[in-house]
Amino acid sequence: GLKTSPQHKPIQAASLRCSAASRSRIMTLSIAHACQAILCTALLALSVCEGFATPSLLPQVRTASSCSRVARRPGFLSTRGASSPEPTTVGEAHSLHHGDVGRRELLRLLGGSALVAAMPKKNSAADSKGTVLVVGATGPIGRAVCQSLLSQGYKVRGITRKTKFVEAASQLPPDQWPSQVKWEVRDLAVPESLEGALKGVDKVVFCAGSQAYNGGIELNRKVYGDAVGTLVRLAKQDAKDLSSFVLLSSVGVTKYAAPGYPASEYLLDVLKWKANGEDLLRTSGLPYTICRFAFYSGEPVPTPNAIKIVQGDPNRNNGISVANIGVVMTKCLSDAKYNSRTLVMSEVGPNGGGGNWEAEMAQLKEDIKGAPLLAP
């Protein structure tokens, strides 16, 4: 409705610029909302792929659309729907205002304040149960494993390729669990970087994820197959007194090659190399335990009464929280009676049936020698 006389042209131009700016803001918001939706979908895919649930298990995973929303706990899908609280302890507040890494960035790198928990005072060398190498220590499962091991009196050495995580952890006070881990920056996809990693180690927990959905499908072979083989070789070379090698694996490793198995091409590749890693460890002659699971949730507090332990490779299986995975894997390396066993860990539903998981572990049958994979 503006006139086109010379004196009105500046007003018209300003109006057009304002309109263009408004359109730009609207477009930016639309793109942001679309990105949010894509991110939620990607987080669900990440959770499923890392837990390696088959499509038949997908209905059991609650998505951001079927519950409230994805909580801000980086690295896993939460069904709680609440954002991580702001730091409340003196230790957290101290850590978040210290050094070069900003407060929010430090929280992001360390997995949120819910996972930067205060731990008991670090044990002396005389009290320690031995040194455990945790491979994949900065993933959601690896963080839970580290905390479980520290709480049980083990010294923990963590392997990660996340340099920024290690830098952030170094700024935490001593009562925070990441500061109690001896961190080593190594890359599982580069075998040479693993040289020397097993020196001075008594036990190994392998709970790494390939993240091949980001870096290419060949990472499945490099992480789940080649890296396990490299660590087995180095254990024989540098850790001849190794008492336990606990490997995190997946249900479906004995069935993925069957015609019509309900899984994507990506998941089939994951299971193929998970099976290869199992074979390499099971036939290595090292003391081992293999822990299979279907998918995980992000509950950070252990609930041992919900844990269920079986053997074989069941078609359907409930998921398990990262905290309970940490509890089971810590238990596996606590006694030689769990060596040469392959188990499946999950959680029971609200109707009960759990609570006897330690008795179930005590009854695990030894793997059959010469049988590369254990079917039901």
Side-chain angles (χ1 to χ4, degrees):
L2 291 173
K3 295 180 180 180
T4 57
S5 58
Q7 63 268 32
H8 289 100
K9 284 185 178 179
I11 300 175
Q12 185 182 29
S15 177
L16 289 172
R17 283 197 300 273
C18 184
S19 177
S22 297
R23 287 197 300 270
S24 176
R25 284 195 295 273
I26 292 171
M27 183 174 292
T28 300
L29 287 172
S30 298
I31 293 173
H33 289 152
C35 289
Q36 267 190 327
I38 293 171
L39 177 61
C40 288
T41 304
L43 283 173
L44 173 61
L46 184 153
S47 177
V48 173
C49 289
E50 282 297 291
F52 311 114
T54 64
S56 62
L57 293 169
L58 286 178
Q60 301 180 47
V61 183
R62 296 171 65 190
T63 68
S65 60
S66 63
C67 54
S68 46
R69 67 176 183 271
V70 177
R72 262 183 283 164
R73 291 174 183 168
F76 52 76
L77 184 68
S78 171
T79 59
R80 294 296 180 187
S83 298
S84 297
E86 292 298 311
T88 54
T89 67
V90 174
E92 287 179 39
H94 170 81
S95 69
L96 297 178
H97 293 282
H98 230 73
D100 298 328
V101 180
R103 175 181 174 283
R104 293 188 181 279
E105 178 69 2
L106 187 56
L107 270 180
R108 184 186 69 79
L109 290 168
L110 296 175
S113 61
L115 291 180
V116 188
M119 299 294 294
K121 186 177 179 180
K122 187 185 296 185
N123 293 325
S124 65
D127 297 331
S128 175
K129 294 182 178 180
T131 299
V132 183
L133 178 69
V134 180
V135 184
T138 53
I141 293 175
R143 295 195 298 264
V145 169
C146 286
Q147 291 177 77
S148 178
L149 290 169
L150 288 168
S151 71
Q152 294 301 310
Y154 291 97
K155 288 184 176 181
V156 178
R157 189 186 300 176
I159 285 181
T160 181
R161 55 188 176 80
K162 299 177 182 177
T163 305
K164 288 186 177 180
F165 185 103
V166 177
E167 293 173 353
S170 69
Q171 298 178 34
L172 291 170
D175 68 335
Q176 304 293 315
W177 75 265
S179 68
Q180 299 182 22
V181 175
K182 181 180 179 181
W183 296 102
E184 297 181 356
V185 179
R186 301 176 185 271
D187 191 341
L188 295 181
V190 183
E192 311 85 71
S193 77
L194 297 176
E195 292 292 333
L198 273 292
K199 291 182 178 179
V201 168
D202 302 300
K203 306 171 189 288
V204 174
V205 174
F206 188 104
C207 52
S210 71
Q211 297 187 351
Y213 41 82
N214 286 327
I217 199 168
E218 70 277 0
L219 284 176
N220 289 330
R221 171 183 59 81
K222 291 180 179 180
V223 173
Y224 301 131
D226 296 352
V228 173
T230 298
L231 290 171
V232 164
R233 174 180 63 80
L234 292 174
K236 293 180 177 180
Q237 172 184 304
D238 299 329
K240 296 183 179 180
D241 295 327
L242 193 77
S243 61
S244 182
F245 191 130
V246 181
L247 175 68
L248 186 68
S249 188
S250 304
V251 297
V253 290
T254 69
K255 302 175 180 179
Y256 72 93
Y261 186 76
S264 66
E265 182 179 352
Y266 172 81
L267 180 56
L268 291 175
D269 191 70
V270 168
L271 294 173
K272 170 185 175 181
W273 293 110
K274 282 272 188 175
N276 177 254
E278 282 197 17
D279 284 348
L280 289 170
L281 182 58
R282 193 175 282 115
T283 59
S284 67
L286 295 175
Y288 72 87
T289 308
I290 295 171
C291 299
R292 296 171 178 167
F293 77 116
F295 60 92
Y296 67 81
S297 66
E299 178 57 55
V301 180
T303 54
N305 287 339
I307 297 174
K308 182 73 176 175
I309 303 294
V310 298
Q311 284 188 283
D313 192 358
N315 289 322
R316 291 187 63 84
N317 211 54
N318 291 335
I320 184 171
S321 71
V322 291
N324 282 345
I325 290 176
V327 169
V328 174
M329 298 190 84
T330 299
K331 185 70 174 179
C332 287
L333 48 74
S334 68
D335 197 308
K337 67 184 179 183
Y338 302 122
N339 288 343
S340 302
R341 267 100 174 141
T342 300
L343 61 89
V344 178
M345 51 186 173
S346 64
E347 292 175 3
V348 297
N351 294 327
N356 298 316
W357 69 279
E358 290 180 289
E360 291 166 348
M361 285 192 65
Q363 297 172 9
L364 292 173
K365 296 180 180 179
E366 187 174 353
D367 291 354
I368 301 172
K369 292 182 179 180
L373 291 172
L374 296 181

